[in-house]
Amino acid sequence: MLKQHLQFKLSQKLSPQQIQLMKLIQLPTQAFEQRLKQELEENPALETGKEEGETQQDEFDDLYDNETDSENINAEDINIDDYLSDDEIPDYRTQANNYSADDEEKSVPYAAGISFNQYLINQLNTVYLTDEEWSIAEFLVGSVDESGYIRRPLSDIMDDLAFTQNIYTDEKTIEKVLHIVQDLDPAGVAARTLEECLLIQLKRKEVTPSIELAITLLEKSFEQFTKKHYQKLIQKHNITEEQLKDAITEIERLNPKPGGSYSGNNRIVEHVVPDFSIRIVDGELELTLNGRNAPELHVSREYNNMLAGYKNSKEKSKSQKDTVMFIKQKLDAAKWFIDAIRQRQQTLYITMNEIMEYQKEYFLTGDERKLRPMILKDIADGIGMDVSTVSRVANSKYVDTPYGTKLIKDYFSESMKNDQGEDVSTKEIKKILETVIGEETKKKPLTDDKLAAILKEKGYPIARRTVAKYREQLDIPVARLRKQI
């Protein structure tokens, strides 16, 4: 019985083509364009754009010969005429008007710039340093992470300098150079801790009583400050509540992640390109797929001519047969890729259309409280596809709606029952939780127990630990850390 089960499981393995198709489906628009570019570069039999005199095409299905092993095929058995059709425009370009008006837009938007580390190096060029100091400074800049911090102990950096740069120095010298690096912009860069980062920024500001108090709080009472023990701070430093409030305001204006404020932070920052668009037209929802997902592709005319030449030649040499085998391989790959794009486009459109219909009430109103509980299986069952396929579409694609551009997977949520026994989305509960916390008195924030009691009053009987989980998912800190003066 076990053997039969294993044999059945093995028979369900995906073919290489199916795996490639799954990978194509997973790609969002910009990544798909890069994949398309790669395929065009690697396969000379595949070309983009229209050719003169092209007509609407019958599908390429007759060009696939699944029963013949391409390695053992006799070149004389190839039906050359199958490859010599003038109808090379894919039918998915002409069958349905399901791609958007941005069809001709080919540019890929992105915000480019030099890397954050290079930005710091450019500033170092304006500082006078000895050769050794320059080497240490350059190494320190290379140790700055994306948030703008150096999180490694100076002792480790000293060892690395010796082993990798052949620079033998001591921690005192490294710390001296570190302070030079910490004078670079943005303020707070190359700090080793949050406390040091904030202090660097405060000490660059014009001195005022509030700035002086803020520095004192961070230097002498950092732990109490982070835990918001305000009464203890007032007593310890003999200050008024108003003075403390002014000092806290100064600290809140600082940037805890100075590296994150730089647009060229270690990588090109890509803008989101929506894969779908949903519009309300005459009270009805209208879905379009970004036209960049439906490129115009055709089989190379030159390759067709090469096959025609082979067909018409009286004597067929071995080299000609080898050539025609190469051409057939490339043509098969080109036709498979065009067909895979068609399947990808259909899968994306059908999946998003089902999601749109499932959440119709939300898309018509924009009210997140009207989001229905929805899991991947709901959509997979509705369109007769596998859950993994729906997951590939939802996890990496964005949809442009009248209410903003959203990641599709964000519309999925589990359900729970309210006090009426009705299924409600956990997103609806999170929205209510967010609203309740937003309206709380910040001098006395609501604990998770009190939040659970309020939700129960509103008809959502959930446990305190569940409230805590939802609060954390919303990136809302505990009551103690939400406290304000």
Side-chain angles (χ1 to χ4, degrees):
M1 190 70 180
L2 179 61
K3 186 177 180 181
Q4 287 179 339
H5 177 67
L6 285 172
Q7 286 177 338
F8 175 75
K9 289 203 73 175
L10 286 171
S11 70
Q12 300 300 306
K13 287 179 68 176
L14 293 175
S15 69
Q17 286 86 356
Q18 288 173 313
I19 293 171
Q20 288 299 316
L21 177 59
M22 290 298 102
K23 288 181 178 179
L24 279 177
I25 288 171
Q26 188 165 344
L27 296 176
T29 298
Q30 285 182 244
F32 169 71
E33 287 183 318
Q34 293 300 313
R35 175 68 179 85
L36 174 63
K37 181 180 177 183
Q38 178 188 349
E39 191 71 20
L40 286 166
E41 289 173 350
E42 293 178 356
N43 189 349
L46 184 68
E47 293 182 352
T48 185
K50 291 183 181 179
E51 288 191 335
E52 290 183 12
E54 281 184 342
T55 60
Q56 184 171 345
Q57 162 213 19
D58 294 327
E59 291 197 19
F60 286 125
D61 295 345
D62 59 326
L63 299 179
Y64 286 94
D65 187 3
N66 295 323
E67 297 178 1
T68 309
D69 187 339
S70 61
E71 291 184 6
N72 300 320
I73 188 169
N74 184 338
E76 303 221 357
D77 292 337
I78 300 173
N79 185 352
I80 302 298
D81 291 327
D82 283 347
Y83 291 85
L84 301 182
S85 169
D86 285 333
D87 305 330
E88 282 115 352
I89 177 169
D91 64 344
Y92 62 81
R93 296 287 307 182
T94 54
Q95 270 182 355
N97 183 23
N98 64 355
Y99 47 90
S100 59
D102 61 357
D103 187 32
E104 296 304 317
E105 181 192 346
K106 299 301 179 187
S107 62
V108 180
Y110 61 89
I114 60 173
S115 69
F116 182 42
N117 285 357
Q118 187 58 51
Y119 175 65
L120 297 175
I121 291 291
N122 291 347
Q123 294 179 67
L124 275 179
N125 288 325
T126 65
V127 181
Y128 176 77
L129 297 168
T130 66
D131 289 346
E132 183 186 64
E133 287 172 340
W134 170 263
S135 298
I136 295 171
E138 189 176 30
F139 193 86
L140 288 170
V141 165
S143 301
V144 173
D145 65 17
E146 290 188 0
S147 297
Y149 286 79
I150 293 178
R151 303 190 187 273
R152 304 178 60 220
L154 294 187
S155 57
D156 287 357
I157 292 175
M158 181 180 70
D159 291 341
D160 279 355
L161 282 167
F163 286 118
T164 65
Q165 307 296 315
N166 207 27
I167 297 172
Y168 299 92
T169 184
D170 53 38
E171 289 185 37
K172 185 177 179 182
T173 304
I174 295 173
E175 186 150 16
K176 174 190 169 187
V177 177
L178 175 63
H179 291 313
I180 295 172
V181 175
Q182 289 176 343
D183 284 337
L184 303 177
D185 288 325
V189 73
R192 290 161 287 181
T193 62
L194 174 61
E195 179 184 353
E196 186 176 39
C197 176
L198 298 177
L199 283 168
I200 290 170
Q201 294 177 62
L202 284 172
K203 289 176 180 178
R204 284 202 197 180
K205 291 179 175 287
E206 184 180 345
V207 178
T208 65
S210 297
I211 295 290
E212 285 185 329
L213 178 56
I215 291 171
T216 301
L217 292 175
L218 294 182
E219 287 181 337
K220 298 183 178 179
S221 307
F222 184 74
E223 187 175 352
Q224 288 177 322
F225 168 76
T226 56
K227 292 182 177 178
K228 297 196 174 185
H229 293 162
Y230 294 140
Q231 288 304 316
K232 291 182 180 178
L233 290 173
I234 289 171
Q235 293 171 6
K236 180 177 178 179
H237 296 279
N238 193 26
I239 53 177
T240 66
E241 187 175 294
E242 195 62 33
Q243 287 174 317
L244 178 59
K245 190 173 183 179
D246 290 343
I248 290 172
T249 300
E250 292 292 349
I251 296 172
E252 287 176 343
R253 289 174 181 163
L254 306 175
N255 185 357
K257 292 184 178 180
S261 63
Y262 185 72
S263 64
N265 189 8
N266 288 328
R267 62 187 181 275
I268 291 174
V269 180
E270 293 183 343
H271 296 163
V272 168
V273 175
D275 305 275
F276 305 91
S277 177
I278 292 177
R279 291 289 174 264
I280 301 173
V281 180
D282 297 329
E284 293 295 325
L285 296 174
E286 182 180 275
L287 173 67
T288 53
L289 174 64
N290 190 320
R292 289 153 65 175
N293 291 283
E296 292 173 345
L297 298 173
H298 63 267
V299 175
S300 166
R301 175 75 62 181
E302 182 181 351
Y303 267 54
N304 279 342
N305 291 341
M306 290 167 67
L307 275 184
Y310 170 81
K311 179 185 179 184
N312 296 330
S313 64
K314 292 181 180 179
E315 294 184 8
K316 297 178 171 60
S317 66
K318 184 181 184 304
S319 63
Q320 282 181 309
K321 289 181 181 180
D322 291 341
T323 300
V324 85
M325 288 305 304
F326 173 80
I327 293 171
K328 181 188 181 298
Q329 180 187 10
K330 292 301 180 184
L331 287 171
D332 283 341
K335 286 173 288 186
W336 175 85
F337 191 73
I338 290 172
D339 189 58
I341 289 176
R342 176 182 61 80
Q343 292 183 58
R344 175 184 182 273
Q345 183 193 9
Q346 290 177 348
T347 302
L348 296 188
Y349 189 84
I350 290 169
T351 304
M352 188 63 224
N353 190 67
E354 181 71 14
I355 293 171
M356 181 181 74
E357 291 298 328
Y358 200 94
Q359 301 290 4
K360 188 171 185 177
E361 197 172 357
Y362 161 74
F363 283 116
L364 284 171
T365 62
D367 187 348
E368 290 191 11
R369 290 171 297 181
K370 294 187 176 180
L371 276 170
R372 295 171 59 189
M374 179 175 73
I375 59 175
L376 293 171
K377 190 174 185 300
D378 294 328
I379 302 303
D381 290 346
I383 59 178
M385 289 187 181
D386 194 80
V387 169
S388 63
T389 303
V390 177
S391 175
R392 284 180 170 88
V393 174
N395 281 342
S396 56
K397 310 290 189 305
Y398 287 83
V399 58
D400 181 29
T401 75
Y403 326 107
T405 300
K406 311 281 187 180
L407 186 60
I408 294 168
K409 75 173 183 179
D410 290 345
Y411 293 124
F412 288 83
S413 65
E414 298 290 344
S415 66
M416 65 157 289
K417 293 191 182 297
N418 62 14
D419 58 1
Q420 304 296 314
E422 301 167 333
D423 281 336
V424 293
S425 168
T426 53
K427 280 189 172 295
E428 178 181 338
I429 299 169
K430 288 179 186 178
K431 188 69 179 176
I432 295 169
L433 181 63
E434 196 173 22
T435 302
V436 170
I437 291 175
E439 294 173 351
E440 71 185 359
T441 303
K442 295 304 177 186
K443 280 197 171 186
K444 196 174 181 182
L446 298 167
T447 64
D448 290 343
D449 281 322
K450 289 180 180 177
L451 289 170
I454 292 171
L455 286 172
K456 187 175 182 180
E457 289 173 13
K458 291 180 179 290
Y460 304 98
I462 57 177
R464 183 205 62 80
R465 64 179 179 276
T466 308
V467 170
K469 182 177 76 172
Y470 291 167
R471 176 180 53 70
E472 288 169 2
Q473 289 173 352
L474 290 166
D475 287 328
I476 297 174
V478 296
R480 174 173 53 78
L481 296 181
R482 299 199 305 273
K483 185 178 179 183
Q484 295 178 5
I485 297 178

